[in-house]
Amino acid sequence: MIAYYNKLSGSELLLPYTFGDEKSLKKVVKFNDGWIQMIQDNMVSILGWIKYEKVKWLQNNNPEVPGIVYKLAQDDEKARKLDNVRKLWDAILEIRPVKNVFMDGDINGESYAVDHFIPRNFVMNDELWNLMPMDPIQNMKKNKKLPVWENYFGQFANNQFMMYEMIFEKPELLKLYKQCYKDNLHSIWAIQELYRKGNSADEFRNILDKNMHPVYDSARRQGYDIWDVS
């Protein structure tokens, strides 16, 4: 095998390394200078590819744990990135009222929090499809708990659809929506299905339900508590 490898290296095919003629444990591996330079010049890309393949393997073998790529990120990459989402909801609230998902009445546009329907410490991301304007006091009470799906997903989905409709009605909102791409729109299903132009209310809600409900159920199976809003 070693002889075959060295023979290949002597042809026009330039291999990364060859084996010396030494015997047993004294055998030397000789790296090609051209390959060494190429690896050094592209180290960031190579390490990124290795990390990607590791994360892909982990995610495929741990389907009950969403967002593994975010959980493995460095601390500075885990910081919440809600500024652009808040700007979008600020602009919407200036145009029309937004119903509170968890209580009667509308969101106070002067004092509200942007929070995750499914807890952030489970999904480990700030995706637009999981975010909502919320009363700050309720936000603190909810903390890392799950809302009762049957009671609150409907209004959450309604608010999401209202945002979706307004994005395509108001050019200034569409511009703010596009600014969310970098930090808040990474899910392929959200970009290609949920936020594509032309969805009806039922289509939008079904897409959101189909993709969010399994994540919610996974969080329940892993022991996340249900939030008693009352």
Side-chain angles (χ1 to χ4, degrees):
M1 181 65 184
I2 293 175
Y4 175 73
Y5 194 89
N6 287 342
K7 182 179 179 181
L8 280 176
S9 185
S11 67
E12 293 182 359
L13 178 63
L14 186 62
L15 298 176
Y17 57 87
T18 57
F19 298 95
D21 297 327
E22 297 82 5
K23 301 296 184 182
S24 188
L25 296 178
K26 294 183 179 181
K27 187 171 292 294
V28 174
V29 177
K30 301 176 182 178
F31 283 86
N32 181 281
D33 290 339
W35 274 90
I36 292 174
Q37 188 63 51
M38 186 279 294
I39 292 172
Q40 290 175 340
D41 291 344
N42 296 276
M43 184 61 69
V44 173
S45 298
I46 293 170
L47 291 177
W49 175 79
I50 293 172
K51 180 179 179 181
Y52 168 76
E53 290 297 327
K54 285 182 177 179
V55 170
K56 189 167 67 172
W57 185 89
L58 286 170
Q59 190 67 78
N60 289 339
N61 287 275
N62 296 274
E64 288 285 292
V65 183
I68 285 181
V69 64
Y70 301 108
K71 292 179 171 68
L72 296 178
Q74 296 180 3
D75 288 341
D76 58 341
E77 296 176 359
K78 296 179 183 178
R80 296 191 177 215
K81 299 175 181 178
L82 302 174
D83 289 348
N84 288 325
V85 176
R86 186 172 186 96
K87 290 176 184 177
L88 177 58
W89 279 111
D90 280 346
I92 291 172
L93 285 161
E94 289 180 0
I95 299 172
R96 59 161 296 172
V98 176
K99 289 188 176 298
N100 192 314
V101 172
F102 301 110
M103 59 187 292
D104 293 334
D106 298 328
I107 293 293
N108 181 355
E110 300 298 322
S111 176
Y112 73 94
V114 174
D115 191 35
H116 303 71
F117 189 85
I118 301 172
R120 187 184 191 276
N121 73 330
F122 181 68
V123 296
M124 288 304 294
N125 61 54
D126 298 311
E127 292 278 340
L128 184 62
W129 50 265
N130 189 38
L131 293 170
M132 58 187 170
M134 186 175 177
D135 178 82
I137 295 177
Q138 286 185 315
N139 184 31
M140 289 188 291
K141 291 180 179 179
K142 177 180 177 292
N143 198 9
K144 300 175 182 179
K145 297 179 181 178
L146 290 162
V148 178
W149 183 272
E150 294 76 11
N151 294 350
Y152 302 110
F153 174 76
Q155 186 56 55
F156 171 77
N158 289 343
N159 286 354
Q160 279 276 332
F161 181 70
M162 179 202 68
M163 176 190 69
Y164 162 81
E165 277 194 313
M166 294 183 69
I167 284 170
F168 293 107
E169 292 173 356
K170 307 285 186 181
E172 64 272 23
L173 295 183
L174 182 60
K175 182 178 179 180
L176 291 172
Y177 164 77
K178 290 181 178 179
Q179 290 175 3
C180 296
Y181 279 171
K182 179 181 177 182
D183 296 322
N184 313 107
L185 280 167
H186 298 153
S187 299
I188 295 176
W189 66 267
I191 297 171
Q192 295 185 351
E193 297 181 59
L194 186 67
Y195 296 121
R196 68 185 175 191
K197 189 174 182 179
N199 283 329
S200 67
D202 286 341
E203 288 171 334
F204 184 93
R205 177 174 175 145
N206 288 338
I207 294 169
L208 193 60
D209 186 299
K210 178 182 70 175
N211 288 278
M212 283 189 70
H213 212 157
V215 181
Y216 179 95
D217 289 342
S218 179
R220 286 288 292 128
R221 286 191 292 271
Q222 294 194 33
Y224 277 74
D225 292 331
I226 294 293
W227 179 38
D228 182 4
V229 178
S230 60

